[in-house]
Amino acid sequence: MMLVLKILLFGNAEERKILEEALLQPLKKYKITFDIHNLSNPQKFMKNYLFKNDYHLIVMCSDGNTKYIFKSCSDTPLIHVVTGIMSFPPTAEEIDDKLMRNPELASFFSPGEYTVTHRDCTRKISHMDIDYIRRDNDKTIIHLTNGETETTSKNIGKVMSEINREYFAKSSPGLFVNTRNIYKIHNSSSRDYKTVELKSGAEVPLKSIYFDKFRDAYSLSVARVASLKVLDD
């Protein structure tokens, strides 16, 4: 069954319009099915919406900032609430980092899958669960965010022709990194290499000659060039 992200925008008409325009593109980009409702009445908001879990995400303008609330949504009592603040209007980088990448939205994503077939079984792997892909002679090893690996007899050229390349950028010969799972890029003692640190804690090499193309691929996939900083250790 397809999950629908129920969103409530709270504020005056102008504020809600600004918030909706800011949210529409990233929601569509990440292929999240959503349903947006609007509300301007403070009393109704406090009484009927703030303390109930009818909506997964509430976004509002308050005190010159954008405030958001993620809530669990089920027939059971409210389990947890996640809150945060962005600027108003929120930037594309803030929305990507604080909303689109928030674990609370994980079940609403439609990131696509890569299918690995063996003689006795077939496994579908979500693109978001892949950290990086590397060549192993004529085979290819897919490294997952949970530390597991999946090996396919296909060579890496074949794998990369089948997978959604919007997610992956080449970091060194025979190695492709999931740009959406990058945490930091570190300088290293070698001029020829930098180090890509992934959210899972895994680290892979980034050859300096690939850095510009790697950065461009990253910025195209998540639209936040400013946050891809090379950090000195």
Side-chain angles (χ1 to χ4, degrees):
M1 182 177 67
M2 181 179 294
L3 292 175
V4 177
L5 178 65
K6 293 184 67 177
I7 304 171
L8 178 68
L9 301 181
F10 175 68
N12 63 42
E14 183 178 356
E15 292 167 344
R16 297 196 313 266
K17 181 180 179 182
I18 291 172
L19 290 173
E20 183 169 355
E21 289 176 348
L23 290 171
L24 284 178
Q25 184 175 352
L27 286 168
K28 292 177 180 178
K29 175 183 175 181
Y30 283 94
K31 299 179 182 178
I32 296 176
T33 302
F34 60 92
D35 184 16
I36 292 181
H37 292 251
N38 293 275
L39 184 68
S40 60
N41 187 306
Q43 289 77 28
K44 194 173 181 180
F45 175 68
M46 294 293 292
K47 181 179 179 181
N48 298 329
Y49 296 97
L50 183 58
F51 300 109
K52 295 184 180 180
N53 50 354
D54 298 327
Y55 289 88
H56 305 97
L57 174 62
I58 297 174
V59 185
M60 69 191 84
C61 177
S62 176
D63 301 324
N65 293 308
T66 301
K67 297 184 179 180
Y68 61 88
I69 304 171
F70 282 107
K71 297 198 284 187
S72 60
C73 193
S74 65
D75 295 332
T76 60
L78 188 63
I79 299 172
H80 65 278
V81 173
V82 177
T83 63
I85 298 176
M86 301 180 289
S87 58
F88 184 84
T91 66
E93 290 79 12
E94 287 177 312
I95 292 173
D96 185 78
D97 188 47
K98 296 188 176 184
L99 296 186
M100 297 300 106
R101 290 170 175 264
N102 197 298
E104 300 299 317
L105 255 65
S107 59
F108 297 95
F109 272 91
S110 301
E113 297 172 321
Y114 183 70
T115 301
V116 178
T117 303
H118 300 290
R119 288 183 178 178
D120 55 346
C121 66
T122 296
R123 181 180 183 182
K124 292 184 180 293
I125 306 172
S126 168
H127 288 12
M128 296 297 287
D129 291 334
I130 300 174
D131 253 358
Y132 60 98
I133 300 171
R134 69 177 177 87
R135 180 178 61 211
D136 182 25
N137 297 317
D138 292 333
K139 298 180 180 180
T140 302
I141 300 178
I142 300 171
H143 291 256
L144 307 181
T145 56
N146 63 4
E148 295 179 1
T149 60
E150 186 70 50
T151 301
T152 173
S153 59
K154 298 177 182 179
N155 63 48
I156 198 164
K158 178 65 173 175
V159 171
M160 299 317 297
S161 70
E162 295 174 342
I163 210 160
N164 186 343
R165 287 299 302 274
E166 291 183 3
Y167 283 78
F168 298 92
K170 188 174 186 178
S171 68
S172 59
L175 196 152
F176 293 80
V177 174
N178 189 335
T179 55
R180 287 172 169 85
N181 289 335
I182 293 173
Y183 176 58
K184 292 179 182 176
I185 295 181
H186 299 275
N187 281 327
S188 67
S189 57
S190 171
R191 280 188 183 179
D192 295 331
Y193 284 92
K194 304 179 189 301
T195 299
V196 177
E197 181 182 351
L198 297 160
K199 292 178 180 179
S200 66
E203 296 184 351
V204 294
L206 168 57
K207 198 163 186 179
S208 297
I209 61 172
Y210 291 111
F211 180 71
D212 287 343
K213 288 186 177 180
F214 187 88
R215 177 199 59 207
D216 292 343
Y218 178 86
S219 65
L220 286 172
S221 69
V222 295
R224 47 181 221 157
V225 181
S227 65
L228 181 60
K229 295 185 289 188
V230 178
L231 304 177
D232 293 318
D233 291 330

